[in-house]
């Protein structure tokens, strides 16, 4: 496969999405450094409203809370739904080309398989009540549920997409290899600078769950799995053959119709981790330096419930009409290992990124200056 230049390759994104969804179904735009999908994600708005209720009123769950959340989700309207794909390097290698197509397919599969329909009270209330008593107080862990639901939904849609479209798995495998490369570089940078993850067990559990769930077979993937075993034998075993294995199998086999399943399964996973005392909630309840809960969309904002981005756990305000009660979820950037940013006039690279605090959105971060060769 020959190398292509940016201007040539950018034209393929719309064609790749059209191949999945059909022509003129979803507009594709090329900008920035990430992938996202802006649409009417009613399940994400529903959960954002439930999170807001728990933050405001505590752990109590009422029929009114859920009825109101369902109404707000169903009233959601999104102007200009579109898929946003990252700008490509000036020159693309063959692996870059295939990984780029994988990103296109991933976002198209969110449009095809993730929940955009109207919801009913009954389909939400019963599963929620069944799981509510798994944890004594959900309020410190709502952010973790959001993070895990996104991870599980990515497994679901990629498994469904690869089964339905036989030509796509090789591109998805290259996309996964690219992500693994980025993560490995971040860990190497941390080790080189003497930094260590604060909760490597949880990092291994999430990485193993994601990678075994996606199921791509490559040399890089095998290396990553071996690395997980070495870093946390107990954490890896918990996913591979322990109490999380049945939940992993459910994520792998989640059906196209089960478009709320990722949220219910995420609650069960988080409950297991909490009861094993692996997922520790942040003690920081915010303060004068906490970010403002208000905010809208714009360059640099985290994706809202109107947007899906792969393997991310962030949430923003639920969107709806003028009568819908706004959420106060924090509107702050969510960082991942390998991300770079300006800090005190110096470019730094994130070497460890904890889960966002469910109240403030703050993360435990470790980073180091970037030293250019």
């Amino acid at each position: 496969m020959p190398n292509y230049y940016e201007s040539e390759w950018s034209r393929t994104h719309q064609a790749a999405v059209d191949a999945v969804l059909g022509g003129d179904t979803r507009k594709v735009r090329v900008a920035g450094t990430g992938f996202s999908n802006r649409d009417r994600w009613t399940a994400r708005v529903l959960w954002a409203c439930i999170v807001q209720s728990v933050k405001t009123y505590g752990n109590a769950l009422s029929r009114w809370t859920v009825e109101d959340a369902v109404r707000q989700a169903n009233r959601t309207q999104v102007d200009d739904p579109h898929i946003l794909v990252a700008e490509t390097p000036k020159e693309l290698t063959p692996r870059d080309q295939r990984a780029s197509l994988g990103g296109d397919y991933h976002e198209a599969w969110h449009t095809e398989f993730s929940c955009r329909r109207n919801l009913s009270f009954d389909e939400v209330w019963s599963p929620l009540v069944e799981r509510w008593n798994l944890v004594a107080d959900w309020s410190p862990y709502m952010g973790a549920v959001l993070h895990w639901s996104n991870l599980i939904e990515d497994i679901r849609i990629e498994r469904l997409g690869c089964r339905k479209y036989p030509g796509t798995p090789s591109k998805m495998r290259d996309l996964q290899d690219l992500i693994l490369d980025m993560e490995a570089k971040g860990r190497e940078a941390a080790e080189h600078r003497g930094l260590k993850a604060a909760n490597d067990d949880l990092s291994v559990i999430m990485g193993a769950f994601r990678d075994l769930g996606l199921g791509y077979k490559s040399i890089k993937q095998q290396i990553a799995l071996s690395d997980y075993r070495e870093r946390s034998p107990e954490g890896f075993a918990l996913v591979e053959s322990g109490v999380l294995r049945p939940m992993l199998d459910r994520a792998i086999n989640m059906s196209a119709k089960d478009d709320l399943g990722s949220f219910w399964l995420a609650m069960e996973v988080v409950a297991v981790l909490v009861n094993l005392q692996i997922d520790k909630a942040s003690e920081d309840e915010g303060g004068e330096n906490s970010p403002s809960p208000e905010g809208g969309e714009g360059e640099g904002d985290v994706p809202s419930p109107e947007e899906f981005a792969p393997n991310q756990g962030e949430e923003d305000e639920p969107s709806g009409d003028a009568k819908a009660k706004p959420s106060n979820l924090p509107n702050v950037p969510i960082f991942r290992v390998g991300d770079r940013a300006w800090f005190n006039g110096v470019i730094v690279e994130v070497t460890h990124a904890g889960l966002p605090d469910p109240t403030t959105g703050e993360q435990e971060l470790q980073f180091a200056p970037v030293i250019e060769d």
Side-chain angles (χ1 to χ4, degrees):
M1 182 181 290
N3 285 7
Y4 285 89
Y5 291 94
E6 176 187 14
S7 59
E8 299 172 305
W9 191 253
S10 63
R11 294 192 294 270
T12 68
H13 295 298
Q14 185 69 61
V17 170
D18 289 347
V20 173
L21 301 177
D24 299 323
T25 300
R26 190 63 75 244
K27 189 72 174 176
V28 177
R29 297 176 182 171
V30 181
T33 59
F35 287 75
S36 64
N37 189 330
R38 178 179 170 81
D39 212 321
R40 183 180 182 262
W41 305 117
T42 50
R44 288 166 64 88
V45 176
L46 170 86
W47 193 255
C49 293
I50 293 173
V51 169
Q52 175 59 31
S53 175
V54 171
K55 287 170 57 180
T56 303
Y57 304 111
N59 196 59
L61 183 69
S62 69
R63 292 179 64 91
W64 179 89
T65 297
V66 177
E67 288 172 350
D68 185 65
V70 170
R71 280 196 297 270
Q72 291 200 49
N74 290 343
R75 287 201 301 239
T76 299
Q77 297 180 0
V78 175
D79 296 327
D80 188 29
H82 63 270
I83 290 172
L84 183 67
V85 303
E87 291 179 345
T88 52
K90 294 298 182 183
E91 188 172 352
L92 289 158
T93 66
R95 201 278 297 268
D96 291 336
Q97 296 166 28
R98 295 189 296 270
S100 178
L101 286 174
D104 297 333
Y105 295 146
H106 177 97
E107 297 304 336
W109 290 338
H110 271 306
T111 299
E112 181 169 5
F113 298 118
S114 293
C115 184
R116 300 184 294 140
R117 61 183 175 82
N118 279 356
L119 304 171
S120 70
F121 171 81
D122 289 338
E123 69 176 322
V124 174
W125 175 252
S126 294
L128 192 58
V129 169
E130 288 171 4
R131 292 160 177 82
W132 200 253
N133 290 329
L134 293 176
V135 172
D137 182 5
W138 281 103
S139 56
Y141 304 108
M142 301 305 279
V145 174
L146 293 170
H147 195 104
W148 274 97
S149 67
N150 285 352
L151 187 153
I152 293 167
E153 182 68 1
D154 283 349
I155 293 172
R156 172 179 170 268
I157 66 164
E158 290 194 18
R159 285 280 184 169
L160 291 170
C162 286
R163 285 196 291 266
K164 184 173 179 179
Y165 303 98
T168 59
S170 63
K171 283 81 170 179
M172 305 308 299
R173 183 181 62 239
D174 284 309
L175 175 62
Q176 175 68 359
D177 279 355
L178 180 63
I179 293 171
L180 292 172
D181 279 344
M182 294 171 60
E183 293 173 348
K185 288 177 182 177
R187 285 193 300 274
E188 289 170 4
E191 292 169 2
H192 179 70
R193 298 174 178 113
L195 301 175
K196 190 179 189 313
N199 190 348
D200 211 30
D201 287 337
L202 182 57
S203 177
V204 165
I205 289 168
M206 297 192 76
F209 198 102
R210 177 198 66 186
D211 295 359
L212 292 172
L214 293 173
Y216 300 120
K217 308 296 183 184
S218 72
I219 294 175
K220 290 183 185 296
Q221 184 62 85
Q222 294 307 309
I223 292 172
L225 293 175
S226 296
D227 180 62
Y228 295 147
R229 289 190 187 95
E230 182 177 345
R231 286 163 53 197
S232 176
E234 297 84 1
F236 187 82
L238 198 67
V239 178
E240 184 184 42
S241 56
V243 68
L244 290 180
R245 182 69 213 199
M247 299 179 188
L248 173 63
D249 291 336
R250 285 166 56 194
I252 290 171
N253 295 296
M254 204 169 284
S255 71
K257 292 182 178 180
D258 193 6
D259 56 4
L260 296 179
S262 61
F263 291 94
W264 312 136
L265 184 55
M267 292 183 72
E268 296 175 37
V269 171
V270 171
V272 168
L273 298 179
V274 169
N275 291 324
L276 291 174
Q277 296 188 336
I278 293 174
D279 194 343
K280 300 287 181 62
S282 171
E283 296 178 358
D284 182 9
E285 296 299 330
E288 62 181 62
N289 294 325
S290 298
S292 167
E294 303 300 331
E297 293 183 75
E299 185 175 357
D301 290 339
V302 297
S304 74
E306 300 169 357
E307 300 174 307
F308 251 119
N311 298 317
Q312 299 180 23
E314 57 266 28
E315 289 291 339
D316 195 359
E317 294 183 288
S319 173
D321 61 20
K323 298 179 182 178
K325 182 172 63 178
S327 165
N328 289 322
L329 290 175
N331 181 34
V332 296
I334 303 299
F335 291 96
R336 293 174 292 178
V337 171
D339 285 349
R340 294 186 177 187
W342 282 96
F343 181 74
N344 289 341
V346 177
I347 298 178
V348 297
E349 182 176 289
V350 177
T351 56
H352 167 73
L355 290 174
D357 182 89
T359 302
T360 67
E362 294 179 356
Q363 294 172 272
E364 179 182 333
L365 295 176
Q366 295 176 352
F367 52 86
V370 174
I371 302 175
E372 300 290 351
D373 296 331

